[in-house]
Amino acid sequence: MCRDSDGHGPILNEANHGDGRIAETVIDAISEVVGDSSTEIEPLYESIDPDALEDLFDRRPGKDVPTRVEFRHKEFSIAVEENGRVVIYDAR
């Protein structure tokens, strides 16, 4: 498998976070890759604290937001970027 310079496998899906919880955007992006409903995906809290993820990307004025947070969830490497872009990579 070809990996990029950051060690990621191929991009499997990309999503842009709009309203609501960023964790829901992540789960929806994963469910599109695996072809299951979001209720059948292993809970995100098995890999990262969803509330902490929300706090990190809270977009209130004056709040510092990280440029990028990456974590593994099952066979995926997931990146959440400051602009709300969610990228699902193959981590196998």
Side-chain angles (χ1 to χ4, degrees):
M1 170 187 315
C2 188
R3 298 202 177 274
D4 67 13
S5 62
D6 291 328
H8 297 115
I11 293 175
L12 301 175
N13 197 6
E14 293 182 62
N16 289 307
H17 175 65
D19 295 330
R21 295 179 54 85
I22 194 126
E24 290 174 8
T25 302
V26 171
I27 289 295
D28 289 345
I30 293 170
S31 68
E32 287 180 24
V33 172
V34 297
D36 286 336
S37 73
S38 59
T39 59
E40 296 177 23
I41 303 298
E42 183 175 321
L44 204 55
Y45 63 76
E46 297 289 333
S47 302
I48 193 169
D49 181 337
D51 292 330
L53 189 62
E54 295 302 322
D55 289 344
L56 283 171
F57 288 93
D58 183 352
R59 293 187 180 149
R60 285 181 293 190
K63 172 111 170 140
D64 287 332
V65 175
T67 303
R68 182 178 175 109
V69 170
E70 293 187 35
F71 61 97
R72 293 238 0 205
H73 186 70
K74 302 291 279 178
E75 67 268 20
F76 306 109
S77 178
I78 298 160
V80 180
E81 299 175 352
E82 67 181 325
N83 62 1
R85 180 176 175 237
V86 174
V87 183
I88 311 296
Y89 298 95
D90 186 345
R92 292 177 278 172

